[in-house]
């Protein structure tokens, strides 16, 4: 009975930490972090706890669309989250974010490049809520031993020569981005005729797609299970390390330039600890550890200087000169109407 009571008490304490109940929730000595899968070096979490004494309670999500309703519902209360650009705008518009006290994150002010804060103004106009963590592009990863012709356009994803050897992102905005850019449209369009055309193109393509996946694009391409895949640039860097036959290209029609940031939810229990966590992750020697672990481009200029491999430090995939490309865009939040429209069209694609 004592063991059962102890187990029940432990479960209750954990529930109070995660759900924000109890009068001392803000004094738990913890920080609850919600991040993308495999998007941080676990060793840095241990280092943070060892230095600060603050326990990290860590949870992961696979897409922005999975993350948002969980945060909005508030069943689990997080202190730090790492959403993407357009989702940060949605969270801000719906009053879900707390303003960051910049005096508590001096490393973020000192080491994050000014151009990334400028980019963040597209979804955080006054730079009140978001600290850039990673950025990159979306492009095509292809296997040189399986693909003969030059890869320059999104068109190749519709070539039935590669039937059952094409991987698409299982994400409404990413999938529609490919079809919209291929047709010369903005990936933030609300024009129903353009969106219907993109839907029809995705439905046309579907029979030759091997799978709609997210993280598995990397593993399948490394394992020679597919010839072509839509992938984030950071995943491309890792993939090339593991399989030298793989090449990454930004299609000529343009693509998405994305940025993921640390934010603090308005209902957090441990804001001071959250700011300590963000500041720690912006320390150059910590940021470079995370870069080397996840291979996604860092906006931390101090960290980039610490990258020992010159080829990686100057990589056109990790740190591309974006002025060399046309029609690059960042996702914007399109409102509830846009969410519903894109989701309904995506359901049509997936149901065919």
């Amino acid at each position: 009975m004592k063991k059962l009571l102890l187990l029940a008490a432990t479960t209750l304490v954990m529930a109070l930490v995660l759900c924000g109940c109890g009068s001392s929730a803000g004094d738990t000595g913890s920080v609850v972090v919600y991040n993308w899968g495999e998007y941080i070096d676990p060793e840095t979490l241990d280092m943070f706890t060892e230095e600060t004494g603050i326990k990290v309670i860590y949870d992961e999500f696979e897409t922005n669309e999975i993350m948002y309703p969980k945060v909005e519902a508030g069943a689990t209360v997080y202190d730090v989250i790492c959403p993407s650009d357009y989702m940060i705008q949605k969270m801000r518009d719906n009053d879900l974010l707390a303003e960051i006290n910049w005096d508590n994150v001096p490393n973020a002010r000192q080491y994050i490049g000014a151009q990334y804060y400028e980019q963040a103004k597209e979804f955080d106009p006054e730079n009140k809520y978001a600290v850039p963590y990673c950025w990159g592009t979306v492009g095509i990863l292809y296997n040189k031993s399986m693909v003969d012709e030059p890869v320059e356009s999104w068109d190749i994803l519709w070539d039935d020569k590669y039937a059952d050897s094409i991987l698409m992102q299982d994400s409404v905005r990413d999938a529609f981005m490919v079809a919209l850019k291929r047709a010369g449209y903005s990936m933030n369009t609300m024009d129903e005729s353009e969106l219907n055309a993109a839907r029809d193109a995705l439905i046309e393509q579907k029979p030759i797609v091997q799978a709609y996946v997210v993280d598995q694009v990397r593993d399948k391409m490394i394992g020679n299970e597919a010839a072509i895949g839509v992938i984030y640039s950071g995943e491309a860097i890792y993939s090339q390390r593991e399989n030298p036959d793989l090449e990454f290209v930004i299609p000529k029609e343009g693509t998405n330039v994305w940025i993921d940031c640390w934010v603090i939810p308005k209902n957090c229990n441990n804001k001071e600890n959250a700011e300590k966590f963000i500041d720690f992750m912006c320390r150059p020697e910590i940021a470079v550890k995370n870069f080397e672990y996840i291979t996604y481009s860092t906006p931390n200029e101090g960290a980039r200087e610490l990258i020992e491999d010159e080829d990686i430090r100057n990589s056109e995939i990790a740190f591309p000169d974006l002025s060399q490309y046309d029609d690059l865009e960042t996702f914007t939040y399109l409102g509830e109407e846009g969410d519903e429209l894109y989701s309904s069209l995506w359901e049509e694609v997936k149901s065919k």
Side-chain angles (χ1 to χ4, degrees):
M1 179 62 70
K2 287 181 180 179
K3 289 181 179 179
L4 289 173
L5 289 173
L6 179 60
L7 178 60
T10 302
T11 302
L12 177 60
V13 169
M14 191 63 181
L16 291 176
V17 170
L18 292 176
C19 297
C21 306
S23 59
S24 62
D27 301 316
T28 60
S30 65
V31 61
V32 187
V33 180
Y34 199 21
N35 194 9
W36 298 82
E38 299 183 48
Y39 212 40
I40 202 165
D41 185 340
E43 187 178 341
T44 65
L45 303 180
D46 296 334
M47 293 170 67
F48 174 76
T49 298
E50 182 178 350
E51 179 174 314
T52 65
I54 298 169
K55 180 181 178 182
V56 180
I57 300 170
Y58 196 77
D59 197 5
E60 296 180 343
F61 58 88
E62 193 171 46
T63 69
N64 286 291
E65 287 69 29
I66 291 173
M67 175 276 298
Y68 181 84
K70 190 173 180 182
V71 173
E72 183 182 38
T76 303
V77 176
Y78 297 101
D79 299 312
V80 183
I81 307 174
C82 188
S84 302
D85 30 57
Y86 70 99
M87 194 56 71
I88 294 171
Q89 183 181 350
K90 180 176 181 178
M91 296 173 80
R92 178 179 62 84
D93 288 354
N94 289 299
D95 199 29
L96 294 179
L97 299 180
E99 291 189 21
I100 291 172
N101 183 341
W102 292 94
D103 290 336
N104 293 337
V105 286
N107 288 324
R109 291 187 298 169
Q110 181 175 354
Y111 295 111
I112 302 299
Q115 67 269 35
Y116 304 105
Y117 284 117
E118 194 62 32
Q119 182 182 349
K121 285 183 178 179
E122 294 190 31
F123 50 88
D124 181 16
E126 298 178 71
N127 290 133
K128 288 183 177 181
Y129 301 100
V131 175
Y133 175 56
C134 292
W135 71 281
T137 59
V138 179
I140 296 173
L141 187 69
Y142 67 97
N143 191 310
K144 293 181 292 184
S145 68
M146 300 180 184
V147 179
D148 298 327
E149 67 269 34
V151 178
E152 301 174 336
S153 168
W154 293 116
D155 283 340
I156 197 168
L157 297 169
W158 274 258
D159 190 337
D160 58 14
K161 175 181 177 181
Y162 301 104
D164 201 36
S165 199
I166 295 169
L167 301 173
M168 288 287 288
Q169 288 288 321
D170 190 10
S171 162
V172 55
R173 293 298 299 267
D174 287 321
F176 270 84
M177 180 278 291
V178 171
L180 288 166
K181 285 306 214 179
R182 174 177 178 249
Y185 303 139
S186 168
M187 66 186 195
N188 295 307
T189 185
M190 283 289 287
D191 185 306
E192 290 197 36
S193 64
E194 295 177 351
L195 286 168
N196 287 336
R199 173 205 58 198
D200 293 344
L202 290 171
I203 291 172
E204 175 195 347
Q205 177 206 33
K206 191 175 179 183
I208 65 171
V209 173
Q210 179 191 117
Y212 296 91
V213 286
V214 182
D215 296 334
Q216 300 95 321
V217 174
R218 177 188 68 186
D219 298 331
K220 283 177 171 289
M221 292 297 295
I222 290 171
N224 297 317
E225 296 177 45
I228 306 167
V230 178
I231 200 167
Y232 301 110
S233 53
E235 296 287 309
I237 295 170
Y238 178 87
S239 300
Q240 284 186 317
R241 286 180 179 176
E242 300 298 313
N243 186 337
D245 284 333
L246 300 178
E247 290 287 349
F248 177 80
V249 68
I250 295 175
K252 62 184 180 181
E253 299 93 344
T255 191
N256 171 26
V257 178
W258 54 268
I259 184 167
D260 294 342
C261 300
W262 297 118
V263 300
I264 300 175
K266 199 168 189 177
N267 67 339
C268 72
N269 291 320
N270 303 291
K271 187 170 187 289
E272 188 173 320
N273 289 353
E275 289 170 340
K276 287 180 181 178
F277 179 86
I278 293 171
D279 193 58
F280 184 84
M281 292 300 157
C282 291
R283 193 181 296 175
E285 61 269 27
I286 301 301
V288 77
K289 277 182 68 66
N290 282 324
F291 168 75
E292 290 171 349
Y293 184 86
I294 65 177
T295 65
Y296 277 89
S297 306
T298 176
N300 191 304
E301 294 182 343
R304 186 175 178 184
E305 292 176 3
L306 296 177
I307 298 172
E308 295 182 359
D309 187 326
E310 186 176 349
D311 290 339
I312 294 295
R313 189 169 63 247
N314 299 316
S315 166
E316 293 184 6
I317 300 176
F319 304 102
D321 179 1
L322 298 181
S323 67
Q324 302 301 308
Y325 300 95
D326 296 323
D327 298 314
L328 302 178
E329 293 183 88
T330 297
F331 281 129
T332 58
Y333 172 51
L334 303 173
E336 290 186 11
E337 180 184 355
D339 280 350
E340 292 174 2
L341 179 57
Y342 274 76
S343 294
S344 65
L345 294 171
W346 183 230
E347 287 175 10
E348 290 184 46
V349 173
K350 297 299 285 289
S351 66
K352 296 295 184 181

